[in-house]
Amino acid sequence: MKVSVIGGTRGLGYWIARFLKDEGFSVIITGRDREAGLAAAERIGADYCPDNTRAASASDVVIVSVPIDVTPNVLREVAPNVREGCLLMDVTSVKEEPARIMAELIPDGAYFIPAHPMFGPRVTSLEGQVVVLTPTEDNPWLEPLKEFLEERKARVIVTDPEKHDLMMAVVQVLTHFAYISIAATLESAGVDIRESRKFASPIYNLMIDTIARIVAQNPYLAYSIQTHNRHARRMRDLFLETAGELRDLLDSGAMDEFVRRMSLAAKNIDDIESSLGRSDKAIEALNHELSLLKDSVGGEVGLKHIYSGKVHVGILESVTPDYAILRSGKRTLKFKISNIRVLSGDELLRWKADNLDSAVYDISAVFPDGVRPEVIEELLGRLDGVVEARVTDRYRGPQIPDGFISLTVRIRVFERESYERVKKVIEGMGASIR
Amino acid sequence: MKVSVIGGTRGLGYWIARFLKDEGFSVIITGRDREAGLAAAERIGADYCPDNTRAASASDVVIVSVPIDVTPNVLREVAPNVREGCLLMDVTSVKEEPARIMAELIPDGAYFIPAHPMFGPRVTSLEGQVVVLTPTEDNPWLEPLKEFLEERKARVIVTDPEKHDLMMAVVQVLTHFAYISIAATLESAGVDIRESRKFASPIYNLMIDTIARIVAQNPYLAYSIQTHNRHARRMRDLFLETAGELRDLLDSGAMDEFVRRMSLAAKNIDDIESSLGRSDKAIEALNHELSLLKDSVGGEVGLKHIYSGKVHVGILESVTPDYAILRSGKRTLKFKISNIRVLSGDELLRWKADNLDSAVYDISAVFPDGVRPEVIEELLGRLDGVVEARVTDRYRGPQIPDGFISLTVRIRVFERESYERVKKVIEGMGASIR
């Protein structure tokens, strides 16, 4: 099957193109910048085509992934060129207008599904990601598309374009607008955020962190989200009106009415108890990492940088609320705790097995006859620092007394110390090393 | 030392009274409801006194913990009765007005420290909690008080009342006002929150959860916070003004100016990268619990209810995004995942050791002479389901061949199966069970 991704040279379009290529499709990408397009195509093994209409008419599936403000024009250009039986999709965050244009211009016998993948190009797989599909007509592509996505563990929601845009007016427009307003107020008031955190409860820190997350987005994307949704203006107006009413209640000392409004708002939240539970857990998770580290000072830890994915292993020298100091060989490294995750014991061992040089030792020892190799393998394999323990030979012969057997155990360890330790344990079981 | 807690019969006052009693102080509590006061006093082993002034004049330290709107009057009643050399404190969330009243009415030679413990009566210890102290005069009580709190791992901030109230206008007033406004808007717009979560990214869910947390507070307390801080009105006005400006920029299509404002707001956040890191981790933690559970279906798990603290142990039958189904004996239990934490393997074992009946078995086995009891204890103690393994006897005698020794190992396990397994492992080492 041939898929063309219009605007597939960067951002989400590039992500989609690479994903589909990895899934085994034949992929064409288009994009205005010829150099960048050729380079992107080469990187992922796709074809580059400078002409949107040509790409569209050569494909079974055409996916338009261009900025929201040019999407209508690109759809007008591409839709009439979709072949009979083939499928046109877009992936912008509003759905009413694209759906209308596609419905108007798609040729008879061709199909379209407006879509909104609710994730950005930073994700590494479809697992757990939400994809909203808003078909407006009977469509033989819908079921296969849904199955394809669900097999890859995406959560697929099928709804209509208007419902989608209404929901987005809440999920994206209202919350983002309010959060950007808080951040802008903090800036106007000249608030020193770092100073304010000292006074603050964990929930305040979590609030600031989520506000930071929204305000750190690409501001042009934020602007698009606020301006392309037909319901956005109404939602912002309602927010300002509501906040204004609450302010007036507070300013005029209308306690009972304020309390009534707040209680109504609380009652409207679907499940306060679960929300408290989840936010407690989120807060606890932030403290958890720090207490894990505090318990590990002086010991060996593995720290994984949450963005680069790079793992650093060493002796944890000290911990402050913000930083961890690691000694790795002769170097001393300083890590911001917010940017790292502490590896579990198993993860650390697995990382070492994949990344460090390990040494193999053979140990031969004389055990009583009834010894069971699989038990020896299990007991030794559980010891710290032992990657693997395997019995490679059993021997009975003139040098071995009656009622005994010699086993050769092959172990893989990172440090000679662990080898010495294994020998001590074997002797501790009562066996004699040869 | 004698401490009286004015308003110590419930809420934070009760928490403080109980805490100080546990710390070994002699505690008097006061409160208008005599019945409730006597009952509370009896529960914690304190004395009840119906008269604030009498309690104050009988104490070395007087702590006023009453609702914010009656705090000024109670301070006026109590302050003149504090004895020479003694200390008066209040614990409300604004500090300018209480500080002024105390300064005016405290007798010569007595002292006062306005304070704001930034936690509620739900916390279980002072560890990690912020306590703000705002002394306005030289005060011999300050250092001992600070030390007392810091020894109990509280984070103490010493500042002046105005700085405190300015910070709270941000940390509590602005954020709470904005969040309550979002929640009230969702209610006005008739948004079905549960439905909206289906469309949503993890960050939206986290936003709703933190909003729920704020809006689920006691609305009278929320009203107090909004109305007793001198800077609150200015902060709400600034918020509405700023949000109004941003709305106008969006409505009029002033993209560049919107982008400029948003970028300034982002730049004002102290450390965006850390904020992203922490919120990523918070989100990951919420997913982590679910994936832990998914990996444990069919196996034994321990689920701890995050509010009641009760632990349920059983076989995990199935998991949905919201619920975990546990079979415990003959009962099938359904848990909301947001309300539980999955115990780690160690925690589960520790819980079993404390709560389940365990059985003790003695196993005697003949090992080669070189056997080391501490190695046997370690190897057996690491086996699943074994709480403890200890060598209680060594024996050489007529029944034991030369070159061998009999060890008796006492093990403690929850299930007979584990005992059978330990015997197999001992035999697997080559020893003969007697």
Side-chain angles (χ1 to χ4, degrees), chain A residues 118 157 197-199 209 213 236 251 253 270-271 275 277-279 281 307 336-337 340 372 378 382 421 428, chain B residues 118 157 197-199 209 213 236 251 270-271 275 277-281 307 336-337 340 372 378 382 421 428:
Chain A
M118 295 200 55
I157 298 177
R197 286 192 197 260
K198 284 191 204 147
F199 282 77
D209 291 339
R213 199 181 176 90
R236 289 194 299 268
D251 285 357
D270 52 338
D271 184 344
S275 288
R278 277 190 300 264
S279 51
K281 269 193 209 167
Y307 299 116
K336 216 169 230 182
I337 292 174
I340 52 167
R372 311 247 323 248
E378 186 192 336
R382 281 173 179 239
R421 172 99 182 96
Chain B
M118 295 200 56
I157 298 177
R197 287 191 196 261
K198 284 190 203 146
F199 282 78
D209 292 339
R213 198 180 177 91
R236 290 194 298 268
D251 286 357
D270 53 337
D271 186 344
S275 288
R278 278 189 301 264
S279 52
D280 272 343
K281 269 192 208 168
Y307 299 118
K336 216 169 230 185
I337 293 174
I340 52 166
R372 310 252 319 252
E378 184 192 336
R382 282 174 180 238
R421 170 98 182 97

Short mmCIF file of all heavy atoms in Angstrom, two decimals, chain A residues 118 157 197-199 209 213 236 251 253 270-271 275 277-279 281 307 336-337 340 372 378 382 421 428, chain B residues 118 157 197-199 209 213 236 251 270-271 275 277-281 307 336-337 340 372 378 382 421 428:
data_model
loop_
_atom_site.label_atom_id
_atom_site.label_comp_id
_atom_site.label_asym_id
_atom_site.label_seq_id
_atom_site.Cartn_x
_atom_site.Cartn_y
_atom_site.Cartn_z
N MET A 118 -3.74 12.83 19.29
CA MET A 118 -3.54 13.76 20.40
C MET A 118 -2.17 13.59 21.05
O MET A 118 -2.06 13.41 22.26
CB MET A 118 -4.66 13.60 21.42
CG MET A 118 -5.98 14.00 20.79
SD MET A 118 -7.23 14.40 22.00
CE MET A 118 -6.41 15.65 22.95
N ILE A 157 -10.82 6.99 19.51
CA ILE A 157 -12.17 7.51 19.79
C ILE A 157 -12.79 7.90 18.47
O ILE A 157 -12.19 8.65 17.70
CB ILE A 157 -12.10 8.75 20.71
CG1 ILE A 157 -11.49 8.36 22.05
CG2 ILE A 157 -13.47 9.36 20.89
CD1 ILE A 157 -11.33 9.54 22.98
N ARG A 197 8.59 29.18 45.53
CA ARG A 197 8.57 27.73 45.76
C ARG A 197 9.01 27.39 47.18
O ARG A 197 8.62 26.36 47.72
CB ARG A 197 9.48 27.01 44.78
CG ARG A 197 8.94 26.92 43.36
CD ARG A 197 9.81 25.94 42.59
NE ARG A 197 9.67 26.03 41.16
CZ ARG A 197 8.93 25.20 40.43
NH1 ARG A 197 8.23 24.24 41.00
NH2 ARG A 197 8.88 25.32 39.12
N LYS A 198 9.86 28.25 47.76
CA LYS A 198 10.35 27.98 49.12
C LYS A 198 9.21 27.98 50.12
O LYS A 198 9.22 27.26 51.10
CB LYS A 198 11.34 29.07 49.54
CG LYS A 198 12.69 28.93 48.92
CD LYS A 198 13.66 29.88 49.60
CE LYS A 198 14.82 30.20 48.67
NZ LYS A 198 15.32 31.55 48.87
N PHE A 199 8.21 28.83 49.84
CA PHE A 199 7.08 28.97 50.75
C PHE A 199 6.02 27.91 50.50
O PHE A 199 5.00 27.89 51.17
CB PHE A 199 6.40 30.32 50.52
CG PHE A 199 7.14 31.46 51.14
CD1 PHE A 199 8.29 31.97 50.56
CD2 PHE A 199 6.69 32.01 52.32
CE1 PHE A 199 8.97 33.02 51.13
CE2 PHE A 199 7.37 33.07 52.91
CZ PHE A 199 8.51 33.58 52.32
N ASP A 209 4.61 23.49 37.97
CA ASP A 209 5.22 22.61 36.96
C ASP A 209 4.27 22.37 35.79
O ASP A 209 4.70 22.33 34.64
CB ASP A 209 5.64 21.28 37.60
CG ASP A 209 6.82 21.45 38.54
OD1 ASP A 209 7.54 22.46 38.42
OD2 ASP A 209 7.03 20.58 39.40
N ARG A 213 4.69 23.68 31.94
CA ARG A 213 4.60 22.75 30.82
C ARG A 213 3.76 23.33 29.68
O ARG A 213 4.10 23.18 28.51
CB ARG A 213 3.95 21.46 31.33
CG ARG A 213 4.18 20.29 30.46
CD ARG A 213 3.48 19.08 31.05
NE ARG A 213 3.64 17.98 30.14
CZ ARG A 213 4.66 17.14 30.20
NH1 ARG A 213 5.57 17.25 31.13
NH2 ARG A 213 4.76 16.18 29.30
N ARG A 236 -13.39 31.21 26.13
CA ARG A 236 -12.59 32.23 26.82
C ARG A 236 -13.49 33.28 27.46
O ARG A 236 -13.26 33.70 28.58
CB ARG A 236 -11.63 32.91 25.84
CG ARG A 236 -10.48 32.03 25.38
CD ARG A 236 -9.39 32.86 24.69
NE ARG A 236 -9.88 33.55 23.49
CZ ARG A 236 -9.82 33.06 22.25
NH1 ARG A 236 -9.29 31.87 22.03
NH2 ARG A 236 -10.27 33.76 21.24
N ASP A 251 -15.09 40.38 46.35
CA ASP A 251 -14.89 41.80 46.68
C ASP A 251 -16.05 42.35 47.51
O ASP A 251 -15.85 43.22 48.36
CB ASP A 251 -14.77 42.62 45.39
CG ASP A 251 -13.40 42.41 44.73
OD1 ASP A 251 -12.58 41.68 45.31
OD2 ASP A 251 -13.18 42.97 43.65
N GLY A 253 -17.91 40.59 49.54
CA GLY A 253 -18.14 39.83 50.77
C GLY A 253 -19.35 38.90 50.71
O GLY A 253 -19.92 38.56 51.74
N ASP A 270 -15.86 14.88 38.03
CA ASP A 270 -16.42 13.53 37.95
C ASP A 270 -16.20 12.71 39.20
O ASP A 270 -17.07 11.98 39.64
CB ASP A 270 -15.90 12.79 36.72
CG ASP A 270 -14.39 12.80 36.62
OD1 ASP A 270 -13.75 13.71 37.22
OD2 ASP A 270 -13.82 11.94 35.95
N ASP A 271 -15.02 12.81 39.77
CA ASP A 271 -14.74 11.90 40.86
C ASP A 271 -13.59 12.49 41.67
O ASP A 271 -12.42 12.21 41.44
CB ASP A 271 -14.35 10.53 40.28
CG ASP A 271 -14.14 9.50 41.38
OD1 ASP A 271 -14.01 9.90 42.55
OD2 ASP A 271 -14.11 8.31 41.06
N SER A 275 -9.39 11.93 41.96
CA SER A 275 -8.48 13.03 41.63
C SER A 275 -7.51 13.29 42.77
O SER A 275 -6.32 13.51 42.54
CB SER A 275 -9.27 14.31 41.36
OG SER A 275 -9.95 14.23 40.13
N GLY A 277 -6.59 11.10 44.97
CA GLY A 277 -5.70 9.95 44.99
C GLY A 277 -4.59 10.09 43.97
O GLY A 277 -3.42 9.90 44.27
N ARG A 278 -5.00 10.46 42.74
CA ARG A 278 -3.97 10.57 41.69
C ARG A 278 -3.00 11.71 41.96
O ARG A 278 -1.80 11.56 41.75
CB ARG A 278 -4.64 10.73 40.33
CG ARG A 278 -5.08 9.42 39.70
CD ARG A 278 -5.51 9.64 38.26
NE ARG A 278 -6.62 10.58 38.23
CZ ARG A 278 -7.89 10.22 38.18
NH1 ARG A 278 -8.22 8.97 38.11
NH2 ARG A 278 -8.83 11.14 38.16
N SER A 279 -3.51 12.86 42.42
CA SER A 279 -2.57 13.96 42.64
C SER A 279 -1.67 13.68 43.85
O SER A 279 -0.50 14.04 43.84
CB SER A 279 -3.30 15.31 42.76
OG SER A 279 -4.34 15.25 43.70
N LYS A 281 -0.58 10.77 44.55
CA LYS A 281 0.44 9.86 44.01
C LYS A 281 1.47 10.61 43.19
O LYS A 281 2.66 10.30 43.24
CB LYS A 281 -0.23 8.82 43.11
CG LYS A 281 -0.62 7.59 43.85
CD LYS A 281 -0.96 6.54 42.84
CE LYS A 281 -1.99 5.60 43.40
NZ LYS A 281 -2.57 4.77 42.35
N TYR A 307 15.69 12.73 29.42
CA TYR A 307 15.57 13.18 28.03
C TYR A 307 16.52 12.45 27.10
O TYR A 307 16.11 11.89 26.11
CB TYR A 307 15.73 14.70 27.95
CG TYR A 307 14.66 15.39 28.73
CD1 TYR A 307 14.96 16.17 29.84
CD2 TYR A 307 13.32 15.19 28.41
CE1 TYR A 307 13.95 16.76 30.58
CE2 TYR A 307 12.31 15.77 29.14
CZ TYR A 307 12.63 16.56 30.23
OH TYR A 307 11.64 17.12 30.96
N LYS A 336 20.85 17.19 38.02
CA LYS A 336 19.61 17.76 38.51
C LYS A 336 18.64 16.59 38.73
O LYS A 336 18.38 15.82 37.80
CB LYS A 336 19.05 18.68 37.43
CG LYS A 336 18.39 19.87 38.03
CD LYS A 336 18.07 20.89 36.98
CE LYS A 336 18.57 22.23 37.46
NZ LYS A 336 18.28 23.29 36.54
N ILE A 337 18.11 16.48 39.94
CA ILE A 337 17.29 15.31 40.25
C ILE A 337 16.01 15.28 39.41
O ILE A 337 15.53 14.23 39.03
CB ILE A 337 16.96 15.27 41.77
CG1 ILE A 337 18.27 14.99 42.53
CG2 ILE A 337 15.93 14.19 42.10
CD1 ILE A 337 18.14 15.06 44.03
N ILE A 340 16.50 13.18 36.19
CA ILE A 340 16.98 11.81 36.19
C ILE A 340 15.96 10.87 36.83
O ILE A 340 15.08 11.29 37.57
CB ILE A 340 18.32 11.67 36.97
CG1 ILE A 340 18.16 12.30 38.36
CG2 ILE A 340 19.46 12.28 36.20
CD1 ILE A 340 19.26 11.96 39.30
N ARG A 372 22.07 -30.82 42.85
CA ARG A 372 21.28 -30.61 41.63
C ARG A 372 21.77 -29.35 40.92
O ARG A 372 21.64 -28.25 41.46
CB ARG A 372 19.79 -30.46 42.00
CG ARG A 372 19.28 -31.56 42.94
CD ARG A 372 18.27 -32.48 42.28
NE ARG A 372 17.38 -31.82 41.38
CZ ARG A 372 16.07 -31.67 41.59
NH1 ARG A 372 15.54 -32.11 42.72
NH2 ARG A 372 15.31 -31.10 40.68
N GLU A 378 20.62 -21.54 40.24
CA GLU A 378 19.69 -20.54 40.75
C GLU A 378 20.30 -19.77 41.93
O GLU A 378 20.24 -18.55 41.98
CB GLU A 378 18.38 -21.20 41.19
CG GLU A 378 17.34 -20.16 41.59
CD GLU A 378 16.14 -20.77 42.29
OE1 GLU A 378 15.86 -21.96 42.08
OE2 GLU A 378 15.50 -20.03 43.06
N ARG A 382 21.49 -15.64 41.76
CA ARG A 382 20.82 -14.59 42.52
C ARG A 382 21.79 -13.68 43.25
O ARG A 382 21.38 -12.68 43.84
CB ARG A 382 19.92 -15.23 43.59
CG ARG A 382 18.62 -15.74 43.09
CD ARG A 382 17.94 -16.49 44.22
NE ARG A 382 16.66 -17.00 43.79
CZ ARG A 382 15.49 -16.69 44.36
NH1 ARG A 382 15.45 -15.89 45.39
NH2 ARG A 382 14.37 -17.19 43.89
N ARG A 421 33.55 -13.73 45.63
CA ARG A 421 32.37 -13.94 46.46
C ARG A 421 31.69 -15.28 46.10
O ARG A 421 31.27 -16.03 46.98
CB ARG A 421 31.43 -12.76 46.24
CG ARG A 421 30.07 -12.90 46.86
CD ARG A 421 29.98 -12.15 48.18
NE ARG A 421 28.65 -12.35 48.75
CZ ARG A 421 28.36 -13.27 49.66
NH1 ARG A 421 29.30 -14.03 50.16
NH2 ARG A 421 27.13 -13.40 50.10
N GLY A 428 30.99 -22.25 51.14
CA GLY A 428 30.06 -22.16 52.26
C GLY A 428 28.98 -23.23 52.21
O GLY A 428 28.40 -23.60 53.23
N MET B 118 2.39 25.54 56.94
CA MET B 118 1.75 25.40 55.63
C MET B 118 1.31 23.97 55.35
O MET B 118 1.67 23.37 54.34
CB MET B 118 2.69 25.91 54.55
CG MET B 118 2.93 27.40 54.74
SD MET B 118 3.53 28.18 53.27
CE MET B 118 2.26 27.73 52.10
N ILE B 157 11.00 28.67 57.53
CA ILE B 157 11.36 29.91 56.85
C ILE B 157 11.08 31.05 57.80
O ILE B 157 9.98 31.16 58.35
CB ILE B 157 10.51 30.10 55.58
CG1 ILE B 157 10.78 28.97 54.60
CG2 ILE B 157 10.79 31.45 54.93
CD1 ILE B 157 9.95 29.04 53.36
N ARG B 197 -12.26 13.49 29.78
CA ARG B 197 -11.01 12.78 30.06
C ARG B 197 -10.68 11.76 28.98
O ARG B 197 -9.52 11.42 28.78
CB ARG B 197 -11.08 12.07 31.41
CG ARG B 197 -11.01 12.97 32.63
CD ARG B 197 -10.84 12.12 33.86
NE ARG B 197 -11.11 12.78 35.11
CZ ARG B 197 -10.16 13.29 35.90
NH1 ARG B 197 -8.90 13.23 35.54
NH2 ARG B 197 -10.49 13.85 37.05
N LYS B 198 -11.74 11.24 28.34
CA LYS B 198 -11.51 10.25 27.28
C LYS B 198 -10.69 10.83 26.14
O LYS B 198 -9.93 10.15 25.48
CB LYS B 198 -12.85 9.77 26.71
CG LYS B 198 -13.57 8.81 27.61
CD LYS B 198 -14.76 8.21 26.86
CE LYS B 198 -15.79 7.71 27.84
NZ LYS B 198 -17.15 7.88 27.32
N PHE B 199 -10.92 12.12 25.88
CA PHE B 199 -10.25 12.77 24.77
C PHE B 199 -8.85 13.24 25.12
O PHE B 199 -8.18 13.84 24.31
CB PHE B 199 -11.05 14.00 24.36
CG PHE B 199 -12.27 13.70 23.56
CD1 PHE B 199 -13.42 13.22 24.16
CD2 PHE B 199 -12.25 13.87 22.19
CE1 PHE B 199 -14.54 12.94 23.42
CE2 PHE B 199 -13.38 13.60 21.44
CZ PHE B 199 -14.53 13.13 22.04
N ASP B 209 -6.96 16.92 37.86
CA ASP B 209 -6.77 16.39 39.21
C ASP B 209 -6.31 17.48 40.17
O ASP B 209 -6.74 17.51 41.32
CB ASP B 209 -5.77 15.23 39.20
CG ASP B 209 -6.33 14.01 38.49
OD1 ASP B 209 -7.57 13.91 38.38
OD2 ASP B 209 -5.55 13.15 38.04
N ARG B 213 -8.39 19.08 43.32
CA ARG B 213 -7.81 19.14 44.66
C ARG B 213 -8.06 20.49 45.32
O ARG B 213 -8.36 20.56 46.50
CB ARG B 213 -6.30 18.91 44.50
CG ARG B 213 -5.61 18.53 45.75
CD ARG B 213 -4.13 18.35 45.48
NE ARG B 213 -3.49 18.05 46.73
CZ ARG B 213 -3.32 16.82 47.20
NH1 ARG B 213 -3.68 15.79 46.49
NH2 ARG B 213 -2.75 16.63 48.36
N ARG B 236 -6.07 39.33 42.29
CA ARG B 236 -7.20 38.88 41.45
C ARG B 236 -7.43 39.87 40.32
O ARG B 236 -7.69 39.47 39.19
CB ARG B 236 -8.46 38.76 42.30
CG ARG B 236 -8.45 37.61 43.29
CD ARG B 236 -9.84 37.33 43.85
NE ARG B 236 -10.40 38.45 44.60
CZ ARG B 236 -10.26 38.62 45.91
NH1 ARG B 236 -9.61 37.72 46.63
NH2 ARG B 236 -10.79 39.66 46.52
N ASP B 251 -8.57 37.62 20.22
CA ASP B 251 -9.77 37.98 19.47
C ASP B 251 -9.44 38.88 18.28
O ASP B 251 -10.10 38.81 17.24
CB ASP B 251 -10.78 38.70 20.38
CG ASP B 251 -11.47 37.72 21.34
OD1 ASP B 251 -11.20 36.51 21.23
OD2 ASP B 251 -12.27 38.17 22.18
N ASP B 270 11.06 29.82 36.77
CA ASP B 270 12.45 29.72 37.20
C ASP B 270 13.28 28.72 36.42
O ASP B 270 14.41 28.96 36.09
CB ASP B 270 12.54 29.39 38.71
CG ASP B 270 11.71 28.18 39.09
OD1 ASP B 270 10.76 27.84 38.35
OD2 ASP B 270 12.00 27.57 40.13
N ASP B 271 12.70 27.60 36.11
CA ASP B 271 13.51 26.57 35.49
C ASP B 271 12.58 25.61 34.75
O ASP B 271 12.14 24.60 35.29
CB ASP B 271 14.31 25.84 36.57
CG ASP B 271 15.27 24.84 35.97
OD1 ASP B 271 15.12 24.50 34.78
OD2 ASP B 271 16.17 24.40 36.69
N SER B 275 10.85 21.81 35.50
CA SER B 275 9.41 21.67 35.59
C SER B 275 8.92 20.57 34.65
O SER B 275 8.06 19.77 35.01
CB SER B 275 8.71 22.98 35.23
OG SER B 275 8.89 23.92 36.25
N GLY B 277 10.67 18.09 33.57
CA GLY B 277 11.15 16.83 34.14
C GLY B 277 10.25 16.34 35.24
O GLY B 277 9.82 15.19 35.25
N ARG B 278 9.90 17.24 36.17
CA ARG B 278 9.07 16.82 37.28
C ARG B 278 7.67 16.44 36.84
O ARG B 278 7.10 15.45 37.30
CB ARG B 278 9.00 17.92 38.34
CG ARG B 278 10.20 17.92 39.28
CD ARG B 278 9.97 18.88 40.44
NE ARG B 278 9.75 20.22 39.94
CZ ARG B 278 10.70 21.15 39.85
NH1 ARG B 278 11.92 20.88 40.24
NH2 ARG B 278 10.42 22.33 39.38
N SER B 279 7.08 17.22 35.88
CA SER B 279 5.72 16.86 35.49
C SER B 279 5.72 15.58 34.65
O SER B 279 4.80 14.77 34.73
CB SER B 279 5.02 18.02 34.77
OG SER B 279 5.80 18.51 33.71
N ASP B 280 6.78 15.38 33.86
CA ASP B 280 6.92 14.09 33.17
C ASP B 280 6.91 12.94 34.16
O ASP B 280 6.24 11.93 33.97
CB ASP B 280 8.26 14.02 32.40
CG ASP B 280 8.15 14.57 30.99
OD1 ASP B 280 7.02 14.69 30.49
OD2 ASP B 280 9.19 14.87 30.39
N LYS B 281 7.68 13.13 35.24
CA LYS B 281 7.77 12.07 36.24
C LYS B 281 6.44 11.85 36.94
O LYS B 281 6.08 10.71 37.23
CB LYS B 281 8.80 12.46 37.30
CG LYS B 281 10.17 11.98 36.96
CD LYS B 281 11.03 12.15 38.19
CE LYS B 281 12.45 12.35 37.81
NZ LYS B 281 13.23 12.79 38.97
N TYR B 307 -5.65 6.11 51.58
CA TYR B 307 -6.22 6.89 52.68
C TYR B 307 -6.32 6.09 53.97
O TYR B 307 -5.85 6.51 55.02
CB TYR B 307 -7.58 7.46 52.27
CG TYR B 307 -7.42 8.38 51.11
CD1 TYR B 307 -8.03 8.12 49.89
CD2 TYR B 307 -6.59 9.49 51.21
CE1 TYR B 307 -7.82 8.95 48.81
CE2 TYR B 307 -6.38 10.32 50.13
CZ TYR B 307 -7.00 10.05 48.93
OH TYR B 307 -6.79 10.86 47.87
N LYS B 336 -10.38 0.88 43.18
CA LYS B 336 -10.10 1.99 42.28
C LYS B 336 -8.58 2.17 42.27
O LYS B 336 -7.97 2.35 43.33
CB LYS B 336 -10.77 3.24 42.83
CG LYS B 336 -11.29 4.11 41.75
CD LYS B 336 -12.16 5.18 42.28
CE LYS B 336 -13.43 5.19 41.47
NZ LYS B 336 -14.29 6.28 41.86
N ILE B 337 -7.97 2.12 41.10
CA ILE B 337 -6.51 2.16 41.05
C ILE B 337 -5.97 3.49 41.59
O ILE B 337 -4.91 3.54 42.20
CB ILE B 337 -6.01 1.88 39.62
CG1 ILE B 337 -6.33 0.43 39.27
CG2 ILE B 337 -4.50 2.13 39.49
CD1 ILE B 337 -6.02 0.04 37.86
N ILE B 340 -5.13 3.27 45.37
CA ILE B 340 -4.24 2.26 45.93
C ILE B 340 -2.80 2.45 45.46
O ILE B 340 -2.54 3.10 44.46
CB ILE B 340 -4.69 0.83 45.54
CG1 ILE B 340 -4.85 0.77 44.02
CG2 ILE B 340 -5.97 0.44 46.26
CD1 ILE B 340 -4.97 -0.60 43.47
N ARG B 372 29.43 -23.39 55.78
CA ARG B 372 29.45 -22.19 56.62
C ARG B 372 28.00 -21.78 56.92
O ARG B 372 27.27 -21.39 56.00
CB ARG B 372 30.17 -21.03 55.92
CG ARG B 372 31.54 -21.44 55.34
CD ARG B 372 32.71 -20.84 56.12
NE ARG B 372 32.47 -19.48 56.51
CZ ARG B 372 33.09 -18.43 55.95
NH1 ARG B 372 33.94 -18.61 54.95
NH2 ARG B 372 32.85 -17.22 56.40
N GLU B 378 22.05 -17.14 54.47
CA GLU B 378 21.83 -16.11 53.45
C GLU B 378 21.12 -16.70 52.23
O GLU B 378 20.16 -16.13 51.72
CB GLU B 378 23.16 -15.49 53.04
CG GLU B 378 22.95 -14.34 52.06
CD GLU B 378 24.22 -13.85 51.39
OE1 GLU B 378 25.31 -14.04 51.95
OE2 GLU B 378 24.08 -13.29 50.29
N ARG B 382 17.06 -15.79 51.13
CA ARG B 382 16.71 -15.07 49.92
C ARG B 382 15.60 -15.73 49.12
O ARG B 382 15.11 -15.17 48.14
CB ARG B 382 17.92 -15.00 48.98
CG ARG B 382 18.95 -13.98 49.36
CD ARG B 382 20.15 -14.13 48.44
NE ARG B 382 21.17 -13.16 48.77
CZ ARG B 382 21.65 -12.27 47.90
NH1 ARG B 382 21.22 -12.24 46.66
NH2 ARG B 382 22.57 -11.41 48.27
N ARG B 421 9.87 -26.24 49.42
CA ARG B 421 10.84 -25.69 48.49
C ARG B 421 12.22 -25.58 49.16
O ARG B 421 13.25 -25.89 48.54
CB ARG B 421 10.33 -24.30 48.05
CG ARG B 421 11.28 -23.45 47.27
CD ARG B 421 11.00 -23.56 45.79
NE ARG B 421 11.97 -22.75 45.06
CZ ARG B 421 13.08 -23.23 44.51
NH1 ARG B 421 13.30 -24.52 44.52
NH2 ARG B 421 13.92 -22.44 43.91
N GLY B 428 19.34 -29.91 46.98
CA GLY B 428 20.01 -29.53 45.73
C GLY B 428 21.44 -29.10 45.94
O GLY B 428 22.27 -29.17 45.03
#
